Amino acid sequence: MTKRYRTWNVHQDFLLPPSPKDWLPKNHKIYVLLDILAGLDIGAFEARLAAKGLAGPETYDPRLMLGLLIWGYCTGVRSSRKIARATYEDLPFRVLAAGEQPHFTRIADFRLEFKDLISDVFQQVLVLFKRMGMDRLGQFALAGTKIQANASKHKAMSYERMKQEEARLRSEIEELLRKAEVTEDQENQEFGPDRDGEEIPAELERRETRLKRIQQVREELEKEAKAARAEELREEAERQRQRAAQAEHPGAVALANKRAQEAEYKAKILAPPDDAPPPDWGAGAAPGTAALLPHHQVPHDAQGVPEPRAQRNFTDPDSRIMAKNGRISQDYNAQAVADTNHIIWAAEVTNQAPDCEHLPALLTQTVNNLDGQPPGQLLADTGYFSATNVAFAEALGVDALIAVGRQKHGAQPSQAPDTQDEAPPTTAAAATTPKQTPKQKMKDKLAKPTNKAAYARRKTIIEPVFGNIKEVLGFRRFLLRGIEKVRAEWQLICLSHNILKLIAFMA
């Protein structure tokens, strides 16, 4: 007896138009994403599109294009070509697109044109969390992770090697020109003046092109080194002016003012105001935090000349060589602040490898996104500790627990008194009791059982966020190049992470 099968006819047409809402389970995430997109304020997108006028072909709905990018980053499909192909082949993408199939160039152009508005969408999603009561001011954790740039470390070259390569290429070009001249004379005598010889000029052109590129990168490196030195001199001038304002002796005031003028003069010589402006390292950052973000400065001497070890990448000049887990690669430093629900409340990217200088910007952005309310407690590892960071957190009213180093098992905490919990000593006692440093105070603070238990939760708060981004969403390398584009892409991946969290909470 023949086994009976269910009817399967790939040539059967639908008698009635099919509904995309029936293609996926009713509780599929894509339907929740469509509801979230419908509630977003896209006025800034529409205003920018309206400013272009009515000329040209009809544009796609910004919600559609934004939804394609978000769902792509939620599912590890980040290439504009793959997203465009998915609108034909992938069912959730087809439901989201509702029959539209934007060309990949339209998707790529949308991502670049509206990259500065991603942070606004990021904040709108945080507003949805706050409406759901998910903004409890409890424990927050700050951490950074190195993300590979869309460039190879083998495409980087040091300042010393640039000069060596320039000298070598110039020598080779001169030799090729000499050979070309000799060959041309020989061929003119043998074949006549119409024969020019093509092999040597082609080889010469390749070397000249490489020489021009190396010269361009070297000049950019030198200009950035001068700008970095000028920035240091302006900071020194500001410190001298503060000393002059605080000094009481007329001689000290005059000396400080003289040093301030000298520093300002040297800064103007290195970076005249009428020159092209230096790179905007805060481009694309969240409002209110750009000025606080650090950036990598080219190693330089007192004259603003790059040190021989100073490097620049030819593919993505904004990226930097960084070390992680004993491995050297071309990276960016991606930072994030998350709460106990693994919601990201602040996200930024820089090309500065150390984490310490990132705390003020990330903490400020967190407070801004919490409507000015400081988080109850901030947890950070030893890479963020400094007296300046502790004072900055205290000024914002944040209880910061920042590790000061690894403590050996069985080691006893410092016995110095905690001045925050005890009454101030008398004048006589103050003269004999050594003053605690900020590091000692933080070490004693972390040694308290309640704070020790609180800090132990740091990894369980922030590490799952990076684990989800890198392992589940598959984001281990930036697709875009340049600090501004990379910053927008990190906002997009953090936005996608938060939307998946929002979908889970709404479900």
Side-chain angles (χ1 to χ4, degrees), residues 137-138 363 367 372-378 389-401 445:
L137 304 178
L363 188 54
V367 173
Q373 296 295 320
Q377 200 169 53
L378 180 71
N389 285 349
V390 174
F392 188 89
E394 290 176 352
L396 290 179
V398 178
D399 179 22
L401 295 179
K445 183 178 180 180

Side-chain angles (χ1 to χ4, degrees), residues 281-315:
W281 297 114
T289 62
L292 297 174
L293 284 173
H295 62 85
H296 178 272
Q297 289 191 340
V298 175
H300 56 273
D301 58 17
Q303 285 71 40
V305 178
E307 294 184 2
R309 61 186 176 89
Q311 289 190 336
R312 179 58 58 92
N313 191 279
F314 288 85
T315 306

Side-chain angles (χ1 to χ4, degrees), residues 41-175:
D41 180 8
I42 59 170
F45 292 84
E46 294 175 335
R48 187 170 298 180
L49 291 171
K52 295 181 178 181
L54 301 178
E58 287 185 340
T59 187
Y60 291 100
D61 192 311
R63 284 189 174 87
L64 162 62
M65 306 299 285
L66 185 61
L68 289 176
L69 286 174
I70 291 174
W71 186 247
Y73 277 79
C74 285
T75 56
V77 182
R78 294 180 290 277
S79 166
S80 57
R81 287 176 171 82
K82 291 182 179 180
I83 292 176
R85 191 183 308 129
T87 59
Y88 291 92
E89 301 174 354
D90 190 279
L91 201 50
F93 275 99
R94 292 192 63 185
V95 172
L96 175 62
E100 297 289 348
Q101 282 96 22
H103 195 262
F104 76 89
T105 55
R106 303 288 290 274
I107 298 173
D109 291 345
F110 181 88
R111 175 163 45 192
L112 293 180
E113 182 179 356
F114 297 97
K115 61 183 182 296
D116 58 317
L117 300 181
I118 299 297
S119 60
D120 179 65
V121 180
F122 179 81
Q123 292 173 0
Q124 288 189 53
V125 173
L126 292 180
V127 171
L128 296 179
F129 280 114
K130 288 184 280 190
R131 290 176 181 174
M132 297 173 65
M134 305 301 294
D135 59 338
R136 294 190 297 270
L137 304 178
Q139 290 181 315
F140 287 67
L142 165 64
T145 183
K146 305 298 190 297
I147 302 290
Q148 279 187 285
N150 189 3
S152 170
K153 65 180 180 181
H154 301 293
K155 292 296 183 181
M157 185 179 291
S158 67
Y159 182 67
E160 182 67 21
R161 190 182 168 197
M162 287 181 194
K163 294 191 293 184
Q164 294 173 356
E165 282 290 297
E166 281 189 57
R168 183 183 66 83
L169 289 171
R170 284 197 184 96
S171 176
E172 291 182 357
I173 290 173
E174 290 175 1
E175 180 65 19

